[in-house]
Amino acid sequence: MINITLRQLRYFDALARHGHFGRAAEACAISQPALSMQIKEMEEALGGVLLERNARQVALTKFGEELLTRVRDILRSVDELGDFARASRDRLAGRLRVGMIPTIAPYLLPRVIENLARLHPELDIHVRETLTPRLIKEVAEGRLDTAIVALPVSEPSLTEIALFKENFLLVRPGEQDGTPVPSRETLREMKLLLLEEGHCFRDQALSFCNMQAPPREVLDASSLSTLVQMVGAGIGVTLIPEMAVAVETRSASVSVARFKNPQPSRTIGMVWRKTSPLARQLAQISEVVCLAAGKTRGRRAA
């Protein structure tokens, strides 16, 4: 019988994710020598080498890569046991791991946390802000319970719940206030400032303009705040989601305008694993998210 502990599996998973003993040890809240010892004991129990070690980083061996998939399946099943126990309670309580994309989190997160704390004070909320592909991967792997993203994500293993639609607004230099709003055809000829590649909002803005890529070489930004400040400096124009307007334009000399119908928009929704025992509770939380946004929930997407 192979004697491997659940703790060792979690350490191995962390080491595979971080590719570095020091960072993995920090993530697991243990010392680096202790982590190294646990991995060594795991290798001895399995009778195979899991890692290729060097001074700067570690890489999985072929055996380690094959084992990792099974380890993550085990860890996901163990986590879902805890979720199953929590789902049997009448109240929402315990740890809730929520992901949000950067074009939502700064504007919606404070109200979501406030409402959840008021309505479900026994919840212990952990928030992760990153790009959509990473959030989807972490939800699918069981490292997040749910994520609030722009739909669709079209991941077969996940349930998608449409929460509400949100329009995009045009941000121009302040001196252009009151001038005609450009059509999408005219917008293609302007200096359109965008978020850097990887942000789904960038793709949505390009889609509205019927463009595969920006027509001019302009510095991309990593945040909506930077985009708006660049517009204020007269560098170009940009699109931002409506929920971001109040926060991002208060300290910039810019003009905000709506496009003519049909206006560009996105659908905000929640995703979680189809196998999650917390599905009923997450559906309740989706109502809280809509409350925070001042919206009525849309239809189930998948």
Side-chain angles (χ1 to χ4, degrees), residues 86-185:
R86 291 163 57 199
S88 66
R89 305 171 189 168
D90 294 331
R91 65 189 187 282
L92 287 169
R95 183 183 62 175
L96 178 69
R97 300 164 299 175
V98 181
M100 284 192 190
I101 56 177
T103 57
I104 294 177
Y107 321 108
L108 189 59
L109 180 60
R111 294 194 298 274
V112 170
I113 296 295
E114 180 182 358
N115 288 342
L116 285 175
R118 176 171 51 84
L119 297 172
H120 307 288
E122 294 182 69
L123 275 177
D124 178 21
I125 305 166
H126 297 248
V127 178
R128 165 103 160 113
E129 179 187 341
T130 189
L131 301 180
T132 299
R134 294 176 188 169
L135 291 178
I136 298 308
K137 185 174 186 291
E138 292 178 17
V139 172
E141 292 178 350
R143 287 187 274 149
L144 289 173
D145 297 310
T146 185
I148 300 173
V149 297
L151 300 182
V153 298
S154 303
E155 170 54 52
S157 66
L158 302 183
T159 292
E160 298 182 12
I161 294 289
L163 301 181
F164 56 89
K165 282 196 171 182
E166 177 188 37
N167 291 330
F168 303 160
L169 276 63
L170 175 67
V171 182
R172 301 179 287 180
E175 60 269 20
Q176 296 183 23
D177 189 29
T179 60
V181 177
S183 65
R184 67 175 69 190
E185 291 77 16

Side-chain angles (χ1 to χ4, degrees), residues 15-66:
L15 196 49
R17 281 190 284 111
H18 292 280
H20 187 274
F21 272 97
R23 291 192 292 271
E26 183 178 358
C28 295
I30 63 169
S31 69
Q32 186 171 328
L35 175 64
S36 182
M37 181 178 297
Q38 289 293 321
I39 297 299
K40 182 175 177 56
E41 290 179 0
M42 183 176 172
E43 288 178 322
E44 290 174 351
L46 291 168
V49 179
L50 299 173
L51 306 165
E52 296 178 4
R53 300 163 170 84
N54 61 45
R56 294 188 176 182
Q57 61 182 14
V58 296
L60 297 181
T61 62
K62 187 175 185 301
F63 175 54
E65 289 177 350
E66 293 173 348

Side-chain angles (χ1 to χ4, degrees), residues 189-206:
E189 304 304 319
M190 303 173 72
K191 284 187 177 180
L192 181 62
L193 308 180
L194 299 168
L195 292 174
E196 62 190 358
E197 291 186 6
H199 288 269
C200 58
F201 188 75
R202 172 191 176 93
D203 300 330
Q204 292 156 356
L206 287 172

